Amino acid sequence: MSGALHTYRKVIALTGPLLPVVSFLGRLPTAMCQLGSVLLVAETSGSLAIAGLAGGALALGQTAGGPLLGRAADRHGQRGVVLAAALVDAAAVTALVLAALAHAATGWLALLGALAGASVPQVGPLARSRTVSLARRAGADERTVAAALSFSAG
């Protein structure tokens, strides 16, 4: 067995098989929400400019909200923060979709996009933090910690 394969098996032994799967699935909405909102708003408004504003507001919301959610997770724990953010995000994305379908004004679309972006659960960074914590707690060597970081970044 190659050294890299052995190291990644140690990572899976530390995290269990569920954490990488949940981390991957949890990142899908983050990747697709921006693109989906741009496509939906472009279709419903007939304007790429309005779609770009809504998508840009969503991206700005993610940029501004990410560190705040990370700080909240550090202070209050990951589970509650991720669950609360996921509920707010689901409501905000639903509101954005309904507003786009109702041909709402550009300002409302941008505001809802920003709220949806600000409430996106920061699954990737939180999963990496948890993985490194599990590896360090188990006394893993630096090679295993580095492999854990690269594995969770995929």
Side-chain angles (χ1 to χ4, degrees), residues 121-137:
Q122 301 298 306
V123 174
L126 294 175
R128 281 189 295 281
S129 170
R130 179 162 289 193
T131 301
V132 169
S133 176
L134 289 169
R136 296 228 189 270
R137 194 174 315 142

Side-chain angles (χ1 to χ4, degrees), residues 29-79:
T30 304
M32 295 309 298
C33 192
Q34 211 173 60
L35 175 62
S37 66
V38 168
L39 293 173
L40 176 65
V41 173
E43 178 66 26
T44 58
S45 70
S47 169
L48 287 176
I50 294 172
L53 284 171
L58 198 144
L60 285 173
Q62 282 180 313
T63 301
L68 298 174
L69 288 173
R71 174 169 274 227
D74 287 345
R75 289 187 176 186
H76 306 290
Q78 291 184 2
R79 181 174 296 169

Side-chain angles (χ1 to χ4, degrees), residues 75-116:
R75 289 187 176 186
H76 306 290
Q78 291 184 2
R79 181 174 296 169
V81 171
V82 169
L83 289 174
L87 290 172
V88 172
D89 191 54
V93 170
T94 299
L96 177 59
V97 168
L98 293 174
L101 293 173
H103 304 285
T106 304
W108 282 110
L109 295 172
L111 179 67
L112 291 170
L115 179 60

